[in-house]
Amino acid sequence: MCYTIPGKITKINGKKAIVEYFGEEREILNEFSDIKEGDFVYAQGGYLINKVPEEEALESLKFWKENFKTLKELDKNLAVTGFAKPSDKLIPILKKIQNKKEVSKKELLALLETKDKQDQEIILKTANQIRQQIHSNASCVHGIIEFSNYCRNNCYYCGIRKDAPVERYRLSPDEIIEIGKKAAHKYNFKALVLQSGEDLWYTEEKLSYIIQELRKENLLLFVSLGIRPKETYQKLFAAGARGVLMRFETANQKIFDSMRPQTDFETRIQLIKDLQKIGYIVATGFLVGLPNETNEDIVDNILLTKELQPEMFSFGPLIPSQDTPLKDEPPVKKETMLKIIALTRFAEPDANILVTTALETLDEDAKKEGLMAGANSLMINVTPDAIRNKYHIYDNRAQNDKDIQKNIDQTIKLMQSLGRAPSDIGLK
Ligand code: SF4
């Protein structure tokens, strides 16, 4: 099983190319000089990863051909069935959404505050329908390696904050490369996130070495390292990293300052913008449920993410960790998170929206429900079992006790039951 379907290049225009999957076209970025029309390629996150020999591509496409059609039909059917009648309050907003008109902050707030069960269900179903109309059944699956739980910061909500009494670990560059190679060859990942706390033990040189070695394995590499100088990110881009995961956490600066001592909101936002200018695919977003957060703050978070125009939206609930000052905070309700996914889909219809591990942690159906509320991306943790529990950013984290292969099998089964296929989601 492979987490992306090979596609065929049908058009090349400078650095952009069109790749076709059984009649569906997606735009991608191509950095290779030897790619021509008619070649088969793997693409992920809108990036061409590598050329695939024709024989290998045709063999894989033989498997996918019938499956792809069946999955597509299933996804389409699931996205149109079972709509009840919305309340009068909801009708004009839904009309705007269906007519692809921009929804206002006031309207998003009204949707977020909807208490009516039937209306809530319609909101989620409408978001899923829009996802299906825009992305069809394409959904991407990325792997993530958490390579160090050291962090120089002390964010109040984080279980691996500097003062948290957790057992620390750091993987050596060669250990990270080994795990990455295994993710690429044993588990067939095409896109991998390398994540750590803000751990300066990993110098530019060490990180560049890891990235250069893993890029040779035909992987689209994301880094999630926190604040580093722009120049460091430029060097990592030159080494082959193409994506960055960096949330701004909250658009409310007062909350930001109270939760993230010695870090700065403006610096973070500016870095996100700089990373986009360097050429990175950026995944960003926020945390839901921080103390003193209002519904208006949540809508502002969605709108700031939209304004930043990332390639991927990533947001999760605060899950209180015993080792943090927020250990007694009330947990965020799953229903709120699902509504936020749906609202994000309304605010930015062509967004790629990730179901985060934190959402999965809320309950065992949350991953499926997130995908059915407008999300179209998933992350699988490929950090070795022996150390995964030590990346303790919050309590009872989903995937912590799962065998990697078992987790992959369950995820693929879930995607297939919903009619999702791992073809590239393309550029926005
Ligand atoms: S949230 Fe990130 S920066 Fe803050 S303490 Fe945790 S790992 Fe460090």
Side-chain angles (χ1 to χ4, degrees):
M1 179 66 71
C2 169
Y3 305 113
T4 188
I5 299 174
K8 192 176 190 175
I9 298 283
T10 56
K11 201 171 167 191
I12 297 178
N13 185 6
K15 282 212 153 193
K16 296 220 169 142
I18 301 293
V19 76
E20 189 216 299
Y21 302 92
F22 303 111
E24 276 180 20
E25 292 191 326
R26 309 250 192 274
E27 190 177 38
I28 58 165
L29 279 173
N30 168 31
E31 295 181 335
F32 295 83
S33 53
D34 61 340
I35 295 286
K36 51 187 191 319
E37 286 171 19
D39 281 348
F40 287 95
V41 297
Y42 282 129
Q44 269 278 287
Y47 254 92
L48 195 156
I49 295 179
N50 66 303
K51 189 169 161 176
V52 189
E54 187 166 344
E55 207 177 310
E56 183 188 322
L58 293 175
E59 186 62 34
S60 171
L61 290 173
K62 206 160 50 175
F63 165 80
W64 276 107
K65 195 172 179 205
E66 276 316 302
N67 245 345
F68 192 78
K69 255 201 269 166
T70 315
L71 290 172
K72 211 169 136 78
E73 274 309 300
L74 174 60
D75 177 47
K76 205 169 165 188
N77 291 338
L78 288 174
V80 293
T81 52
F83 274 76
K85 188 177 177 308
S87 69
D88 291 347
K89 207 173 71 187
L90 200 61
I91 290 174
I93 310 179
L94 286 181
K95 261 201 188 132
K96 256 179 119 174
I97 291 166
Q98 274 147 355
N99 290 332
K100 303 189 171 51
K101 296 217 170 97
E102 194 159 322
V103 268
S104 67
K105 179 175 168 180
K106 205 172 143 199
E107 288 162 333
L108 288 171
L109 194 57
L111 293 176
L112 184 62
E113 291 179 346
T114 304
K115 297 267 182 299
D116 183 282
K117 285 270 168 241
Q118 193 157 297
D119 277 357
Q120 287 187 13
E121 203 184 311
I122 294 168
I123 290 170
L124 305 188
K125 285 185 170 173
T126 306
N128 186 40
Q129 199 173 47
I130 293 172
R131 188 265 323 146
Q132 191 275 330
Q133 286 162 356
I134 292 181
H135 292 290
S136 184
N137 64 341
S139 295
C140 64
V141 185
H142 293 183
I144 182 165
I145 302 174
E146 293 155 344
F147 61 86
S148 162
N149 68 353
Y150 280 85
C151 186
R152 61 177 164 165
N153 292 329
N154 241 334
C155 306
Y156 286 168
Y157 49 84
C158 179
I160 60 166
R161 63 200 297 266
K162 191 170 72 181
D163 291 347
V166 291
E167 191 187 336
R168 302 284 168 176
Y169 72 91
R170 250 182 206 130
L171 298 179
S172 72
D174 287 327
E175 283 173 320
I176 301 168
I177 293 164
E178 259 332 287
I179 297 165
K181 282 185 180 173
K182 196 169 166 186
H185 302 298
K186 180 171 177 195
Y187 300 126
N188 287 317
F189 281 94
K190 302 288 177 206
L192 210 53
V193 182
L194 305 175
Q195 176 163 280
S196 67
E198 280 191 20
D199 183 0
L200 301 187
W201 183 85
Y202 296 91
T203 56
E204 256 172 42
E205 290 68 33
K206 284 181 182 136
L207 291 167
S208 297
Y209 165 66
I210 296 165
I211 289 162
Q212 274 162 0
E213 289 305 305
L214 284 179
R215 185 64 193 100
K216 291 179 194 159
E217 309 303 321
N218 293 327
L219 284 163
L220 172 68
L221 294 168
F222 281 71
V223 287
S224 173
L225 310 166
I227 298 290
R228 299 266 182 154
K230 188 172 120 187
E231 294 69 30
T232 299
Y233 277 107
Q234 269 161 338
K235 287 194 180 139
L236 301 186
F237 189 86
R242 288 295 175 267
V244 171
L245 175 56
M246 186 176 298
R247 291 188 188 167
F248 56 82
E249 306 295 19
T250 170
N252 182 323
Q253 290 191 46
K254 262 195 188 158
I255 298 181
F256 186 99
D257 293 343
S258 66
M259 289 290 112
R260 297 185 54 97
Q262 283 129 35
T263 70
D264 177 60
F265 179 80
E266 291 299 340
T267 307
R268 204 164 179 88
I269 296 290
Q270 189 53 51
L271 184 58
I272 292 171
K273 291 178 181 168
D274 289 342
L275 293 169
Q276 286 169 318
K277 280 192 204 127
I278 293 172
Y280 279 106
I281 300 170
V282 170
T284 189
F286 48 91
L287 195 56
V288 180
L290 289 170
N292 302 317
E293 179 186 76
T294 62
N295 284 338
E296 202 176 332
D297 288 326
I298 294 177
V299 174
D300 284 341
N301 287 341
I302 296 173
L303 294 176
L304 177 56
T305 317
K306 174 185 161 84
E307 194 187 312
L308 289 167
Q309 288 291 295
E311 269 74 21
M312 193 169 289
F313 285 59
S314 167
F315 44 86
L318 168 76
I319 298 177
S321 169
Q322 288 316 302
D323 297 326
T324 68
L326 301 192
K327 63 180 170 30
D328 296 323
E329 279 301 302
V332 179
K333 286 195 180 117
K334 179 178 72 176
E335 289 64 33
T336 307
M337 290 310 302
L338 295 177
K339 250 198 275 177
I340 296 171
I341 292 178
L343 265 52
T344 303
R345 177 65 62 206
F346 299 154
E348 186 71 0
D350 62 359
N352 292 312
I353 305 173
L354 184 67
V355 172
T356 56
T357 321
L359 174 64
E360 282 182 48
T361 301
L362 293 181
D363 80 36
E364 58 178 24
D365 292 328
K367 178 149 80 174
K368 177 180 176 182
E369 290 171 90
L371 288 170
M372 292 302 281
N376 62 337
S377 293
L378 290 168
M379 198 90 90
I380 293 182
N381 198 326
V382 292
T383 311
D385 301 358
I387 51 169
R388 206 177 315 141
N389 269 316
K390 295 183 187 162
Y391 202 82
H392 185 83
I393 42 177
Y394 49 83
D395 296 346
N396 306 318
R397 198 161 61 126
Q399 303 191 14
N400 259 6
D401 55 354
K402 275 192 187 165
D403 168 78
I404 296 172
Q405 189 58 56
K406 200 168 149 203
N407 193 10
I408 292 169
D409 293 344
Q410 284 173 349
T411 304
I412 296 297
K413 211 167 146 197
L414 170 69
M415 284 174 67
Q416 291 186 336
S417 74
L418 300 178
R420 306 294 173 91
S423 52
D424 182 38
I425 47 184
L427 294 174
K428 275 185 27 173

